[in-house]
């Protein structure tokens, strides 16, 4: 059963400019493994994290680093949640997240479906 759906779109150039202007955001928004990715991929992961939050009803108090987006070549991206995000997901009965991310033509986008058993 679907618990929630979230979508987000990020202007890649604007996102990169913001990260360059405020370098501390990279550490605040992304896990150490994510920080090594190219800027367009970071923008897509930011969109994914926003979409995750929206799929949970955009509750306050979640840490950006408590959601990690993993991409294995040839496979669908995976969402791993811990801490504050896992707690919010558990409150809503979310058992899994389905994620689609993309970046092209200067836009990064993500759609998340939160599902319970």
């Amino acid at each position: 059963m679907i618990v929630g759906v979230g979508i987000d779109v990020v202007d890649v150039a604007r996102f990169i400019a913001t990260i360059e202007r405020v370098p501390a955001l990279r550490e605040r928004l992304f896990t150490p493994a994510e920080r090594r990715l190219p800027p367009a991929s970071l923008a897509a992961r930011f969109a994914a994290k926003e979409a995750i939050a929206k799929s949970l009803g955009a509750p306050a108090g979640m840490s950006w680093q408590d959601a990690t987006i993993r991409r294995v070549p040839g496979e669908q991206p995976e969402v791993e949640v811990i801490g504050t995000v896992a707690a919010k997901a558990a409150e809503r009965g979310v058992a899994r997240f389905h994620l689609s991310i993309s970046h092209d033509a200067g836009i990064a986008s993500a759609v998340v479906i939160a599902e319970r058993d």
Side-chain angles (χ1 to χ4, degrees):
M1 169 184 272
I2 294 174
V3 174
V5 176
I7 185 170
D8 199 64
V9 177
V10 174
D11 180 301
V12 175
R14 191 170 115 194
F15 178 82
I16 293 168
T18 301
I19 290 290
E20 289 173 352
R21 189 175 64 253
V22 186
L25 278 178
R26 187 182 289 256
E27 291 181 14
R28 183 174 151 225
L29 298 174
F30 302 105
T31 64
E34 290 172 325
R35 290 179 208 145
R36 295 188 293 262
L37 295 169
S41 293
L42 286 179
R45 273 146 183 84
F46 179 70
K49 291 179 184 208
E50 282 279 345
I52 290 166
K54 290 174 182 176
S55 77
L56 295 173
M62 292 192 308
S63 170
W64 294 104
Q65 290 202 28
D66 286 350
T68 302
I69 311 306
R70 300 198 190 286
R71 183 77 171 107
V72 177
E75 296 182 19
Q76 292 181 307
E78 296 177 354
V79 175
E80 178 185 314
V81 295
I82 60 171
T84 58
V85 180
K88 296 296 183 181
E91 286 176 19
R92 303 230 26 218
V94 174
R96 71 195 60 77
F97 293 96
H98 303 276
L99 167 65
S100 179
I101 57 177
S102 183
H103 50 83
D104 189 29
I107 299 293
S109 62
V111 175
V112 170
I113 297 172
E115 181 184 30
R116 75 171 142 222
D117 291 328

